Amino acid sequence: MSEDASTPAQPPEASRGRSWPFRGRRQRAAAPSAPVDPDAELANAGGMGRGVRILLGLASAVVISFGIAAIGGILAPTLLALVLTICAQPVRVWLERHGTPQGLATGAVGLTVFALLAGFIAVLWIALAQFVGMLPQYKPQLQELGNQLTAWLKSIGLGPQQVQEIQSGFDPGKALSFVTGLLGNAFGLIALLVIVLTMLILMPADAAYTPTLLRQLKPTRPNLVYAVSGYAVSVRRYMVVTTLLGIAQGVINGVALLLLGVPAALLWAILSFLCSFIPNVGYFIALVPPLVFGYLTGGWGTVVGVIIVYGVINAIIQSVVQPKVVGSAVALSQTLTFFSVLFWAVVLGPIGAILAVPLTLLVRAVLVDSDPRARLWRPIIGDLAQTKAQMKAESDARREERHQIKAQDGRHG
């Protein structure tokens, strides 16, 4: 007699009568079977495997990165001028639409943007000069703070070499020499302003032909036109919104620091504005100096006040307001955004960190958006609109399945 015949069948009613807490759970999905046929994209790759193409792509990226870093002194201000030109393009178009001659509109927009940039640098220069004059007054407090931190680090078992390196960071002489070097590097600043001014004159003049060029290319290169147009719209929305919110963030933080009695409030407000362009990392960079000088002047009460003000303002502006206003213009994952800040900071320096998102969007436009076959990678790099809709549909289906199972249990119970 077979085993199936010797074992009595369990009645359905008895099975339903059992109390089993995981009875309504779905069966675990089986592991997917490996496909036999190669991907369709390999047919157009000349037989070259995906691993070889990835290695070639990474090698090309390394070579290009070193090349960009080698000419970063002229490329960084050029890219800054490009982003500013994209942001100012609608103003120039508006002036021409209202009867302003093309050359006058181009020159007016370029000079206005340059004047705003030069004025901001002048204010930053004044704030740095005030900080240099103020810093020697806090030399004893900074050294005492460094000694306290050193003693605490030794008590938790940190090595003497690491402790010495951390303690050297509280040396006012090093900070003073660093800031003085920034103020004294007039030649580099003038060279940067000259490059930016020249590009702000030439790029808007060339941008006057961009709409016609895009119309000419659209019949033969529609994907390239789509990528360029989408990049301009995304960068413009991101930069304009971030600038306005950064100004509001800097003003509010500066006023709060003044009320809390933190010295050099203007400098920290400017730092807060600049760091608003640096996702994920900028908040912590802008927070550290006010915390240190707030502790030196007001103790732990001022430190708590600075943390509360910066935390609330950052949470409201960068976590609530900015995502709703910018929307899907950026569509970059948090991991990729953080890595882009680190990457462009290494390649192009501080300007690269500030322009990390626009530069990453430029790379996406060139490598992904301009190629229909590569757009399938957009969800992986952060464009999750369809992914979220699918997740919501799957969640609703699972919820409906659980309701049906509960309803069946209720009828059989």
Side-chain angles (χ1 to χ4, degrees):
M1 183 179 294
S2 65
E3 183 179 356
D4 293 340
S6 62
T7 304
Q10 183 77 15
E13 291 78 10
S15 175
R16 291 193 185 96
R18 291 180 178 178
S19 176
W20 182 247
F22 303 105
R23 185 168 168 267
R25 295 186 64 179
R26 297 182 298 114
Q27 295 292 331
R28 178 174 297 179
S33 58
V36 179
D37 298 331
D39 292 343
E41 60 178 304
L42 293 180
N44 301 323
M48 184 183 298
R50 181 179 288 110
V52 176
R53 286 181 290 148
I54 291 175
L55 290 177
L56 290 176
L58 292 175
S60 302
V62 171
V63 173
I64 293 173
S65 300
F66 275 98
I68 292 175
I71 60 172
I74 59 175
L75 186 60
T78 301
L79 293 173
L80 175 61
L82 173 63
V83 172
L84 293 176
T85 301
I86 293 174
C87 295
Q89 178 72 1
V91 179
R92 187 190 62 79
V93 173
W94 183 85
L95 291 175
E96 292 182 359
R97 189 182 297 122
H98 287 76
T100 306
Q102 178 178 340
L104 183 59
T106 300
V109 171
L111 291 176
T112 301
V113 174
F114 176 79
L116 293 175
L117 183 62
F120 172 77
I121 292 177
V123 174
L124 177 60
W125 196 293
I126 294 173
L128 285 173
Q130 293 177 351
F131 178 70
V132 169
M134 175 203 71
L135 191 58
Q137 304 175 8
Y138 295 92
K139 182 177 180 179
Q141 293 93 325
L142 285 173
Q143 291 178 343
E144 178 63 24
L145 180 61
N147 295 332
Q148 294 177 1
L149 182 60
T150 300
W152 178 74
L153 293 175
K154 289 181 179 179
S155 65
I156 61 175
L158 201 64
Q161 183 177 359
Q162 292 81 1
V163 171
Q164 186 176 3
E165 292 177 357
I166 296 175
Q167 186 179 12
S168 63
F170 288 86
D171 186 5
K174 289 187 176 181
L176 186 60
S177 61
F178 173 74
V179 178
T180 306
L182 290 178
L183 294 175
N185 192 12
F187 178 77
L189 184 60
I190 292 174
L192 185 144
L193 290 177
V194 168
I195 295 175
V196 173
L197 174 61
T198 305
M199 289 297 178
L200 286 176
I201 295 175
L202 299 179
M203 284 185 178
D206 293 334
Y209 304 99
T210 301
T212 305
L213 290 174
L214 293 179
R215 287 193 295 269
Q216 288 178 331
L217 287 174
K218 191 170 184 179
T220 57
R221 297 291 186 270
N223 292 292
L224 179 60
V225 174
Y226 163 78
V228 172
S229 303
Y231 171 72
V233 173
S234 299
V235 168
R236 189 178 299 122
R237 185 184 302 175
Y238 170 78
M239 290 300 294
V240 171
V241 171
T242 304
T243 300
L244 295 177
L245 294 178
I247 293 174
Q249 188 173 349
V251 170
I252 295 174
N253 289 338
V255 173
L257 293 178
L258 280 176
L259 296 177
L260 291 173
V262 178
L266 176 61
L267 179 60
W268 312 139
I270 296 175
L271 180 63
S272 177
F273 167 74
L274 289 176
C275 291
S276 64
F277 292 92
I278 307 176
N280 306 121
V281 184
Y283 166 73
F284 300 99
I285 298 176
L287 179 62
V288 172
L291 284 181
V292 173
F293 285 91
Y295 175 77
L296 296 179
T297 56
W300 289 109
T302 303
V303 169
V304 173
V306 172
I307 293 176
I308 292 175
V309 170
Y310 271 66
V312 171
I313 298 303
N314 179 77
I316 293 176
I317 291 181
Q318 295 191 2
S319 301
V320 179
V321 179
Q322 188 174 18
K324 290 185 178 180
V325 178
V326 175
S328 60
V330 176
L332 296 175
S333 66
Q334 295 295 326
T335 304
L336 181 59
T337 302
F338 179 69
F339 176 78
S340 67
V341 173
L342 302 179
F343 175 80
W344 292 112
V346 172
V347 174
L348 293 177
I351 295 180
I354 294 174
L355 299 180
V357 171
L359 295 180
T360 305
L361 292 178
L362 178 60
V363 175
R364 188 187 70 181
V366 173
L367 299 181
V368 177
D369 294 344
S370 61
D371 188 356
R373 296 169 299 178
R375 287 179 201 154
L376 59 91
W377 296 103
R378 280 185 63 102
I380 298 177
I381 63 179
D383 190 1
L384 300 176
Q386 296 181 356
T387 305
K388 291 179 179 179
Q390 181 175 346
M391 291 176 61
K392 185 177 184 303
E394 293 174 352
S395 177
D396 294 340
R398 290 194 298 267
R399 188 182 301 109
E400 182 65 24
E401 181 182 354
R402 289 194 296 267
H403 290 336
Q404 292 178 0
I405 293 176
K406 290 181 179 179
Q408 292 177 1
D409 292 343
R411 288 195 298 268
H412 293 294

